[in-house]
Amino acid sequence: MSLESLIGIGLYTPFEAQRLLGVSASKISRWLRGHSTQHKNYNPLWTPDVSLDDGAVYLSFRDLMEVRAADQFIRAGVSPQMIRKAIVEARHELNVLHPLSSTRFRTDGRTIFLEIAEQEKDPMLFDLFNKQYAFAKIMERSLKDVEFDGAVPNRWWISSKRSGILVDPEFSFGQPIEYESSIPTTVLANAAKAEGSVARAARAWDVSPKQIERAVRFENAIQLKAA
């Protein structure tokens, strides 16, 4: 897969995904590569969209959104094995490759999880997803501040729309950008550091001080979150 073909798809390493999602890079790699533990082999939860044929794990923007959704379910107590079953069932029922981050999963996903709970005789899972408010709360967190093109997520206002920081695979291979300038937040934040002030960085990049401040505020928050 060439870099040109990644335009509009996005490109993230597990460490970059960790920075944005707060899910550990090692966990993301296990989910997407598969792993072995206690003499048991676990297949990947799904196959990532991106392969650069170098043996490393990469994520597309859609993979990023799928990891975000999977993490919310696992935080709620759903095992990775149940997530895997739900993905398989949802792909069949909804006819989409990345069902967890699809708008259709907001309603159909609850039914799919309940059917799996009955098949597996899993009372905890059944109890969790038998409560409509619990499922709705998980879906709200997993799709918060995401914009969709039909049923497909295509942009993510990573903090909130008010923050002005956007993740869009059409720009900078999906790295966070300051929305008004479309410049990566890392570039603007590093400029503020290199120039020694927000005002000088704004003049150097022909943007407003407010745009520099947005990028600096976001990058500082991300670093604190990752610490």
Side-chain angles (χ1 to χ4, degrees), residues 129-143:
F129 289 96
N130 196 36
K131 299 172 183 175
Q132 179 64 47
Y133 75 88
F135 182 83
K137 200 169 183 179
I138 296 168
M139 291 308 300
E140 179 185 355
R141 287 196 300 265
S142 70
L143 299 176

Side-chain angles (χ1 to χ4, degrees), residues 90-162:
R91 280 178 177 163
H92 174 71
E93 293 293 329
L94 308 181
N95 194 31
V96 290
L97 290 176
H98 296 80
L100 300 184
S101 58
S102 165
T103 53
R104 288 192 60 191
F105 205 77
R106 288 180 180 178
T107 52
D108 297 335
R110 179 173 176 270
T111 301
I112 289 168
F113 269 118
L114 285 172
E115 289 175 351
I116 291 172
E118 291 173 350
Q119 293 166 8
E120 300 295 324
K121 296 181 171 57
D122 188 326
M124 186 283 295
L125 185 63
F126 183 84
D127 182 64
L128 176 66
F129 289 96
N130 196 36
K131 299 172 183 175
Q132 179 64 47
Y133 75 88
F135 182 83
K137 200 169 183 179
I138 296 168
M139 291 308 300
E140 179 185 355
R141 287 196 300 265
S142 70
L143 299 176
K144 185 180 179 182
D145 299 320
V146 176
E147 290 185 4
F148 289 81
D149 180 7
V152 177
N154 65 342
R155 305 204 306 176
W156 174 30
W157 297 94
I158 187 166
S159 298
S160 68
K161 197 164 186 177
R162 191 180 307 169

Side-chain angles (χ1 to χ4, degrees), residues 2-217:
S2 66
L3 288 178
E4 289 79 10
S5 66
L6 295 173
I7 296 173
I9 294 176
L11 177 65
Y12 311 87
T13 66
F15 283 103
E16 288 170 332
Q18 173 182 304
R19 194 173 89 94
L20 298 176
L21 299 175
V23 182
S24 74
S26 59
K27 183 181 289 186
I28 292 171
S29 294
R30 287 198 305 272
W31 288 356
L32 300 184
R33 196 195 292 275
H35 67 286
S36 300
T37 182
Q38 297 180 346
H39 307 294
K40 290 184 179 180
N41 295 321
Y42 295 95
N43 293 324
L45 290 184
W46 67 88
T47 301
D49 287 334
V50 178
S51 174
L52 299 184
D53 298 320
D54 60 0
V57 173
Y58 299 97
L59 296 82
S60 68
F61 176 76
R62 192 69 192 271
D63 291 321
L64 192 74
M65 294 295 96
E66 201 80 349
V67 166
R68 187 179 184 221
D71 177 61
Q72 291 298 330
F73 284 111
I74 289 172
R75 286 175 185 270
V78 183
S79 72
Q81 292 72 34
M82 293 300 180
I83 295 289
R84 182 181 291 107
K85 290 178 185 294
I87 290 171
V88 171
E89 290 294 324
R91 280 178 177 163
H92 174 71
E93 293 293 329
L94 308 181
N95 194 31
V96 290
L97 290 176
H98 296 80
L100 300 184
S101 58
S102 165
T103 53
R104 288 192 60 191
F105 205 77
R106 288 180 180 178
T107 52
D108 297 335
R110 179 173 176 270
T111 301
I112 289 168
F113 269 118
L114 285 172
E115 289 175 351
I116 291 172
E118 291 173 350
Q119 293 166 8
E120 300 295 324
K121 296 181 171 57
D122 188 326
M124 186 283 295
L125 185 63
F126 183 84
D127 182 64
L128 176 66
F129 289 96
N130 196 36
K131 299 172 183 175
Q132 179 64 47
Y133 75 88
F135 182 83
K137 200 169 183 179
I138 296 168
M139 291 308 300
E140 179 185 355
R141 287 196 300 265
S142 70
L143 299 176
K144 185 180 179 182
D145 299 320
V146 176
E147 290 185 4
F148 289 81
D149 180 7
V152 177
N154 65 342
R155 305 204 306 176
W156 174 30
W157 297 94
I158 187 166
S159 298
S160 68
K161 197 164 186 177
R162 191 180 307 169
S163 74
I165 306 300
L166 179 67
V167 174
D168 185 333
E170 296 288 344
F171 296 92
S172 300
F173 296 104
Q175 296 304 309
I177 60 172
E178 193 283 319
Y179 173 63
E180 291 181 356
S181 64
S182 298
I183 299 173
T185 55
T186 53
V187 171
L188 296 180
N190 287 338
K193 186 175 181 180
E195 296 289 339
S197 79
V198 167
R200 283 198 291 270
R203 286 195 295 270
W205 283 88
D206 193 26
V207 297
S208 70
K210 180 181 72 173
Q211 290 168 287
I212 297 287
E213 289 168 353
R214 278 179 180 166
V216 170
R217 188 162 50 246

